[in-house]
Amino acid sequence: MVSLKRTLLVFTVIFFTVNPFSLSAADDVHGDAPKTQDDEIKTYIAHHLEDDHYFSLFSDKKAGKHYGFPLPVILIDGGLKIFSSGEFHHGENIVEKGGTFYKLYHGKIYKTDASGILSYDEDHHPTNAKPLDFSITKNVVGLFLAGILLFWGFLGLAKTYKKGANAIPKGFSRVLEPLVLYVRDEMAIQNIGHRYKEFMPYLLSVFFLILTLNLLGLTPLGFNVTGNISITLCLALFTFFITNIKANKDYWKHIFWMPGVPVPFKFVLAPIEVLGMFTKPFSLMVRLFANITAGHTVIMGLIAIVYLLQNQLTVGGSIGVSMVLTCFLMVIELFVAFLQAFIFTMLSSLFIGMAVEEHTHH
């Protein structure tokens, strides 16, 4: 009975801990009201899921210190303004550049006066003007790192292929080659057909970029790049534009004037097909974003068991439960990292194949 009670308590804590979005509104309403340990954990999870101008590794709350390094802030506001995000001191300071004052608030930079006052709307969202922000944020660093890793890996594989068709890859290239062949044989050729070579650079790029970013997100570096909907939106738009720019006349004919159906139904099907053009990339965007965000949230919720259930499970018990559940979920997340890269690439190749398919009408 005690064991059952503790089990229910664990899952109750997980359920409430992994809901980071419910806290932000409460924080805004109550201002500087003292936070409970649950609230602090939710805030930390929410902060991890968001992009940041500062690359934080960990923080010492008692000492009031943040360990990491600031990233460059690049603003266009009456000219180009470049400075270190460290000048904001994690949002505590107001930065003055060129006679304009800037404040960092919830990961976004706003224009303020010298006292840093923000105005809010009825939903308690800042209404201050924002400069054009082209800063190097944590997600951008993650993209740079993933790009460097991909260049390093594929340059080695390319050198191997230059030696001849029968050259055997060495080192890490042996890991990449089976994945390259899988994307080619099981996705590109199967879904696109004889024109597959035309789209292989994109399919390989998107597959390995998503896979690398997903795996980096499972490291202690704390990246959550594919859990940022702006990133998944950009990737989905690439698929959308490639699909529709490369589409043949049969594709457009099936959208606007479906062959083989009565004329009245053509007018009914055309709006549905046009809507389908946009729902396909939308599904790509949301699926990748939701799965990665959920995985990061649940893992951090499980880690929080160490702090939340020390009294109920003892220190050793809470650590043990947290480690077992977290390790189990990490294994699942490794599978999800590959699965989401596979699904995005497979669906992209399928959409492209539908657009370039040559139909034979009888």
Coordinates of all heavy atoms in Angstrom, one line a residue, residues 202 206 210 229-244 251 255 272-290 343-344 347-352 354:
Y202 N 19.1 17.9 -50.5 CA 18.2 18.5 -49.5 C 17.8 17.4 -48.5 O 17.8 17.7 -47.2 CB 16.9 19.1 -50.1 CG 15.9 19.4 -49.1 CD1 16.1 20.5 -48.2 CD2 14.7 18.7 -49.0 CE1 15.1 20.8 -47.3 CE2 13.7 19.1 -48.0 CZ 13.9 20.1 -47.2 OH 13.0 20.4 -46.2
V206 N 18.5 17.7 -44.5 CA 17.5 17.9 -43.4 C 17.5 16.7 -42.5 O 17.3 16.8 -41.3 CB 16.1 18.1 -44.1 CG1 15.6 16.8 -44.7 CG2 15.1 18.6 -43.1
I210 N 18.5 17.4 -38.5 CA 17.5 17.2 -37.5 C 18.1 16.1 -36.5 O 18.0 16.3 -35.3 CB 16.2 16.7 -38.1 CG1 15.5 17.9 -38.8 CG2 15.3 16.2 -37.0 CD1 14.3 17.5 -39.6
I229 N 9.8 26.3 -32.3 CA 8.9 26.2 -33.4 C 9.4 27.1 -34.6 O 9.0 26.8 -35.7 CB 7.5 26.6 -33.0 CG1 6.4 26.1 -34.0 CG2 7.4 28.1 -32.7 CD1 5.0 26.1 -33.5
S230 N 10.2 28.1 -34.3 CA 10.7 28.9 -35.4 C 11.7 28.1 -36.3 O 11.7 28.2 -37.5 CB 11.5 30.1 -34.9 OG 10.7 30.9 -34.1
I231 N 12.4 27.2 -35.7 CA 13.3 26.3 -36.4 C 12.5 25.3 -37.2 O 12.8 25.1 -38.4 CB 14.3 25.6 -35.5 CG1 15.1 26.6 -34.6 CG2 15.2 24.6 -36.2 CD1 16.0 27.5 -35.4
T232 N 11.6 24.6 -36.6 CA 10.8 23.6 -37.3 C 9.9 24.3 -38.4 O 9.7 23.7 -39.5 CB 9.9 22.9 -36.4 OG1 8.9 23.8 -35.7 CG2 10.7 22.1 -35.3
L233 N 9.5 25.5 -38.2 CA 8.8 26.3 -39.3 C 9.7 26.5 -40.5 O 9.3 26.3 -41.6 CB 8.3 27.6 -38.7 CG 7.7 28.6 -39.7 CD1 6.5 28.0 -40.4 CD2 7.4 29.9 -39.1
C234 N 10.9 26.9 -40.2 CA 11.9 27.1 -41.3 C 12.1 25.9 -42.1 O 12.1 25.9 -43.3 CB 13.2 27.7 -40.7 SG 14.4 28.1 -42.0
L235 N 12.3 24.7 -41.4 CA 12.5 23.5 -42.1 C 11.3 23.1 -42.9 O 11.4 22.6 -44.1 CB 12.9 22.4 -41.1 CG 14.2 22.5 -40.3 CD1 14.3 21.5 -39.2 CD2 15.4 22.4 -41.3
A236 N 10.1 23.3 -42.3 CA 8.9 22.9 -43.1 C 8.7 23.8 -44.3 O 8.2 23.3 -45.3 CB 7.7 23.0 -42.1
L237 N 9.1 25.1 -44.2 CA 9.0 26.0 -45.3 C 9.9 25.6 -46.5 O 9.5 25.7 -47.7 CB 9.3 27.4 -44.9 CG 8.2 28.1 -44.1 CD1 8.6 29.5 -43.7 CD2 6.9 28.2 -44.9
F238 N 11.1 25.0 -46.1 CA 12.0 24.5 -47.2 C 11.3 23.4 -48.0 O 11.3 23.4 -49.2 CB 13.3 24.1 -46.6 CG 14.3 25.1 -46.4 CD1 14.7 25.5 -45.1 CD2 14.9 25.8 -47.5 CE1 15.7 26.5 -44.9 CE2 15.9 26.8 -47.3 CZ 16.2 27.1 -46.0
T239 N 10.7 22.5 -47.2 CA 10.0 21.4 -47.9 C 8.9 21.9 -48.8 O 8.6 21.5 -49.9 CB 9.5 20.4 -46.9 OG1 10.6 19.8 -46.2 CG2 8.6 19.3 -47.6
F240 N 8.1 22.9 -48.2 CA 7.0 23.5 -48.9 C 7.4 24.1 -50.2 O 6.8 23.9 -51.3 CB 6.3 24.5 -48.0 CG 5.2 25.3 -48.7 CD1 3.9 24.7 -48.9 CD2 5.4 26.6 -49.1 CE1 2.9 25.4 -49.5 CE2 4.4 27.3 -49.7 CZ 3.1 26.7 -49.9
F241 N 8.5 25.0 -50.2 CA 8.9 25.7 -51.4 C 9.5 24.7 -52.4 O 9.3 24.9 -53.6 CB 9.9 26.8 -51.0 CG 9.2 28.0 -50.3 CD1 9.6 28.4 -49.1 CD2 8.2 28.7 -50.9 CE1 9.0 29.5 -48.4 CE2 7.6 29.7 -50.3 CZ 8.0 30.1 -49.1
I242 N 10.3 23.8 -51.9 CA 10.9 22.8 -52.9 C 9.8 22.0 -53.6 O 9.9 21.8 -54.8 CB 11.9 21.9 -52.2 CG1 13.1 22.7 -51.7 CG2 12.3 20.7 -53.0 CD1 14.1 21.9 -50.9
T243 N 8.8 21.6 -52.8 CA 7.7 20.8 -53.3 C 7.0 21.5 -54.4 O 6.7 21.0 -55.5 CB 6.8 20.4 -52.2 OG1 7.5 19.6 -51.3 CG2 5.6 19.6 -52.8
N244 N 6.6 22.8 -54.1 CA 5.8 23.5 -55.1 C 6.5 24.2 -56.2 O 6.0 24.4 -57.3 CB 5.0 24.6 -54.3 CG 4.0 24.0 -53.4 OD1 2.9 23.5 -53.8 ND2 4.2 23.9 -52.1
Y251 N 0.7 17.9 -61.2 CA 0.5 18.2 -59.7 C -0.5 19.3 -59.6 O -1.5 19.3 -58.8 CB 1.8 18.6 -59.1 CG 1.7 19.1 -57.7 CD1 1.5 18.2 -56.6 CD2 1.8 20.4 -57.4 CE1 1.4 18.7 -55.3 CE2 1.8 20.9 -56.1 CZ 1.6 20.1 -55.1 OH 1.5 20.6 -53.8
I255 N -4.6 19.6 -58.3 CA -5.0 20.5 -57.2 C -6.2 21.3 -57.7 O -7.2 21.4 -57.0 CB -3.9 21.3 -56.8 CG1 -2.8 20.5 -56.0 CG2 -4.4 22.5 -55.9 CD1 -1.6 21.3 -55.5
I272 N -10.1 22.1 -51.1 CA -9.6 21.1 -50.2 C -8.2 20.8 -50.5 O -7.3 20.7 -49.6 CB -10.5 19.9 -50.2 CG1 -11.9 20.2 -49.7 CG2 -9.8 18.8 -49.3 CD1 -12.8 19.0 -49.8
E273 N -7.9 20.7 -51.8 CA -6.5 20.4 -52.2 C -5.6 21.6 -51.9 O -4.4 21.4 -51.6 CB -6.5 20.1 -53.7 CG -7.1 18.7 -54.1 CD -6.4 17.6 -53.5 OE1 -5.1 17.6 -53.4 OE2 -7.0 16.6 -53.1
V274 N -6.1 22.8 -52.1 CA -5.2 24.0 -51.8 C -4.9 24.0 -50.3 O -3.8 24.3 -49.9 CB -6.0 25.3 -52.3 CG1 -5.2 26.5 -51.8 CG2 -6.1 25.3 -53.8
L275 N -5.9 23.7 -49.5 CA -5.7 23.7 -48.1 C -4.7 22.6 -47.7 O -3.8 22.8 -46.8 CB -7.0 23.4 -47.4 CG -7.0 23.4 -45.8 CD1 -6.5 24.7 -45.3 CD2 -8.3 23.0 -45.3
G276 N -4.7 21.5 -48.4 CA -3.8 20.4 -48.2 C -2.4 20.8 -48.5 O -1.4 20.3 -47.9
M277 N -2.1 21.8 -49.4 CA -0.8 22.3 -49.7 C -0.2 22.9 -48.4 O 1.1 22.8 -48.2 CB -0.8 23.3 -50.8 CG -1.2 22.8 -52.1 SD -1.5 24.2 -53.3 CE 0.0 25.1 -53.1
F278 N -1.0 23.5 -47.6 CA -0.5 24.1 -46.4 C -0.5 23.3 -45.1 O 0.3 23.4 -44.2 CB -1.2 25.4 -46.1 CG -1.1 26.4 -47.2 CD1 -2.1 26.5 -48.2 CD2 0.0 27.3 -47.3 CE1 -2.0 27.4 -49.3 CE2 0.1 28.2 -48.4 CZ -0.9 28.2 -49.4
T279 N -1.5 22.3 -45.1 CA -1.5 21.4 -43.9 C -0.4 20.5 -43.9 O 0.0 20.0 -42.8 CB -2.9 20.7 -43.9 OG1 -3.0 19.9 -45.1 CG2 -4.0 21.6 -43.7
K280 N 0.2 20.1 -45.0 CA 1.3 19.2 -45.1 C 2.6 19.8 -44.4 O 3.1 19.1 -43.5 CB 1.6 18.8 -46.5 CG 0.6 17.9 -47.1 CD 0.8 17.7 -48.6 CE -0.3 16.9 -49.2 NZ -0.1 16.8 -50.7
P281 N 3.0 21.0 -44.7 CA 4.2 21.5 -44.0 C 3.8 21.9 -42.6 O 4.7 21.8 -41.7 CB 4.5 22.8 -44.8 CG 3.3 23.1 -45.6 CD 2.7 21.8 -45.9
F282 N 2.6 22.2 -42.3 CA 2.1 22.5 -40.9 C 2.3 21.3 -40.1 O 2.8 21.4 -38.9 CB 0.7 23.0 -40.9 CG 0.2 23.3 -39.5 CD1 0.5 24.5 -38.9 CD2 -0.6 22.4 -38.9 CE1 0.1 24.8 -37.7 CE2 -1.1 22.7 -37.6 CZ -0.7 23.9 -37.0
S283 N 1.9 20.1 -40.6 CA 2.1 18.9 -39.8 C 3.6 18.6 -39.6 O 3.9 18.1 -38.5 CB 1.4 17.7 -40.6 OG 2.1 17.4 -41.8
L284 N 4.4 18.8 -40.6 CA 5.8 18.6 -40.4 C 6.4 19.5 -39.2 O 7.1 19.1 -38.4 CB 6.6 19.0 -41.7 CG 6.5 18.0 -42.8 CD1 7.2 18.5 -44.0 CD2 7.0 16.6 -42.5
M285 N 5.9 20.8 -39.2 CA 6.4 21.7 -38.2 C 6.0 21.3 -36.8 O 6.8 21.3 -35.9 CB 5.8 23.1 -38.6 CG 6.1 24.2 -37.5 SD 5.2 25.7 -37.9 CE 3.6 25.2 -37.5
V286 N 4.7 21.0 -36.7 CA 4.1 20.8 -35.3 C 4.6 19.4 -34.8 O 4.9 19.3 -33.6 CB 2.6 20.8 -35.4 CG1 2.0 20.4 -34.0 CG2 2.1 22.2 -35.7
R287 N 4.7 18.4 -35.6 CA 5.1 17.1 -35.2 C 6.5 17.1 -34.6 O 6.7 16.6 -33.5 CB 5.1 16.1 -36.3 CG 5.4 14.7 -35.9 CD 5.4 13.7 -37.1 NE 4.1 13.5 -37.6 CZ 3.6 14.0 -38.7 NH1 4.3 14.8 -39.4 NH2 2.4 13.7 -39.1
L288 N 7.5 17.7 -35.3 CA 8.8 17.8 -34.8 C 8.9 18.6 -33.5 O 9.5 18.2 -32.5 CB 9.8 18.3 -35.9 CG 11.2 18.5 -35.5 CD1 11.8 17.1 -35.1 CD2 12.0 19.1 -36.7
F289 N 8.3 19.8 -33.6 CA 8.3 20.7 -32.4 C 7.7 20.0 -31.2 O 8.3 20.0 -30.1 CB 7.6 22.0 -32.7 CG 7.1 22.8 -31.6 CD1 8.0 23.5 -30.8 CD2 5.8 22.8 -31.2 CE1 7.6 24.2 -29.7 CE2 5.4 23.5 -30.1 CZ 6.3 24.2 -29.3
A290 N 6.5 19.4 -31.3 CA 5.8 18.9 -30.2 C 6.6 17.7 -29.6 O 6.6 17.6 -28.3 CB 4.4 18.5 -30.6
I343 N 11.0 10.6 -39.9 CA 9.6 10.9 -40.3 C 9.6 12.2 -41.1 O 9.0 12.3 -42.1 CB 8.7 11.1 -39.0 CG1 8.5 9.7 -38.4 CG2 7.4 11.8 -39.4 CD1 7.7 9.8 -37.1
F344 N 10.4 13.2 -40.7 CA 10.4 14.5 -41.4 C 11.0 14.3 -42.8 O 10.4 14.8 -43.8 CB 11.3 15.5 -40.6 CG 11.1 16.9 -41.1 CD1 10.3 17.8 -40.4 CD2 11.8 17.4 -42.3 CE1 10.2 19.1 -40.8 CE2 11.6 18.7 -42.7 CZ 10.8 19.6 -42.0
L347 N 8.5 12.0 -45.0 CA 7.3 12.8 -45.4 C 7.7 13.8 -46.5 O 7.0 14.1 -47.4 CB 6.6 13.4 -44.3 CG 5.9 12.5 -43.3 CD1 5.2 13.2 -42.2 CD2 4.8 11.7 -44.1
S348 N 8.8 14.5 -46.3 CA 9.3 15.4 -47.3 C 9.5 14.8 -48.6 O 9.1 15.3 -49.7 CB 10.6 16.1 -46.8 OG 10.4 16.9 -45.6
S349 N 10.2 13.6 -48.6 CA 10.4 12.9 -49.9 C 9.1 12.5 -50.5 O 8.9 12.5 -51.7 CB 11.3 11.7 -49.7 OG 10.7 10.7 -48.8
L350 N 8.1 12.1 -49.7 CA 6.8 11.7 -50.1 C 6.1 12.9 -50.8 O 5.5 12.7 -51.9 CB 6.0 11.1 -49.0 CG 4.6 10.6 -49.3 CD1 4.6 9.5 -50.3 CD2 3.8 10.2 -48.1
F351 N 6.1 14.0 -50.1 CA 5.4 15.2 -50.7 C 6.1 15.6 -52.0 O 5.4 16.0 -53.0 CB 5.5 16.4 -49.7 CG 4.8 16.1 -48.4 CD1 5.1 16.8 -47.2 CD2 3.7 15.2 -48.3 CE1 4.5 16.5 -46.0 CE2 3.1 14.9 -47.2 CZ 3.4 15.6 -46.0
I352 N 7.4 15.6 -52.0 CA 8.1 15.9 -53.3 C 7.8 14.9 -54.4 O 7.6 15.3 -55.5 CB 9.7 16.0 -53.0 CG1 10.0 17.1 -52.1 CG2 10.4 16.1 -54.3 CD1 11.5 17.1 -51.6
M354 N 5.1 13.2 -54.8 CA 3.7 13.4 -55.3 C 3.7 14.6 -56.2 O 2.9 14.7 -57.1 CB 2.8 13.7 -54.1 CG 2.6 12.5 -53.2 SD 1.8 12.9 -51.6 CE 0.2 13.6 -52.2

